[in-house]
Amino acid sequence: MNITEEDRKFMREAIRLANESVKNGGGPFGAVIVKDGSIVAGSSNRVTLDNDPTAHAEVNTIREACRKLGTFDLSGCIIYTSCKPCPMCLSAIYWAHIDRIYYGNTRKDANDINFADDFIYEELNKPLSERTIPILPLLRDEALQTFRLWTEKTDKTEY
């Protein structure tokens, strides 16, 4: 896949948002979502500013793009992010059906400044009984009733 000057322009905007975030007290991450050659949304990391551990640049940008486009499906969009997405952000990108990811910094670069995601990847490879945070099944039979309701619903919006 060829990298274009337009790709570089969009990545520079993601990096600019990351720099601005650092200056304003946020985390060193920024992202933009592009559709049809135009920026739809752009945001930065606001974890500490919003007291929200999910307020990563990519998640914030996905939320903004979905609001602006009036959809939860970002097919046809590209995300440019100043750092390779963490597991949460990568999952959100997949759930949003974004077509392509461009990233600046690597996981190692992030690890070098004490933003390490490796512990999450390691946790996911462990059996449930060995994970740091206990994860226990509870009331499955009752919870399955909700899934039955969903299955039977004829006017649902699939996603």
Side-chain angles (χ1 to χ4, degrees), residues 27-128:
F29 305 97
V32 296
I33 291 178
V34 173
K35 184 170 186 167
D36 299 326
S38 296
I39 294 176
V40 174
S43 191
S44 60
N45 180 290
R46 296 190 51 86
V47 170
T48 57
L49 296 173
D50 293 349
N51 292 318
D52 179 352
T54 69
H56 290 200
E58 298 90 339
V59 171
N60 290 339
T61 305
I62 288 169
R63 289 174 179 160
E64 182 183 338
C66 288
R67 276 192 302 274
K68 285 185 175 177
L69 296 174
T71 182
F72 53 82
D73 185 342
L74 297 179
S75 296
C77 292
I78 299 169
I79 190 165
Y80 297 82
T81 179
S82 65
C83 187
K84 192 170 185 180
C86 75
M88 176 184 71
C89 293
L90 185 60
S91 296
I93 290 166
Y94 273 89
W95 280 114
H97 304 286
I98 292 173
D99 291 358
R100 189 175 312 137
I101 304 165
Y102 290 100
Y103 66 92
N105 292 312
T106 66
R107 279 176 55 194
K108 182 186 179 319
D109 297 331
N111 188 57
D112 289 346
I113 62 165
N114 296 320
F115 285 93
D117 300 328
D118 289 339
F119 76 98
I120 296 173
Y121 291 106
E122 291 167 8
E123 282 290 304
L124 292 173
N125 286 324
K126 293 179 184 177
L128 295 181

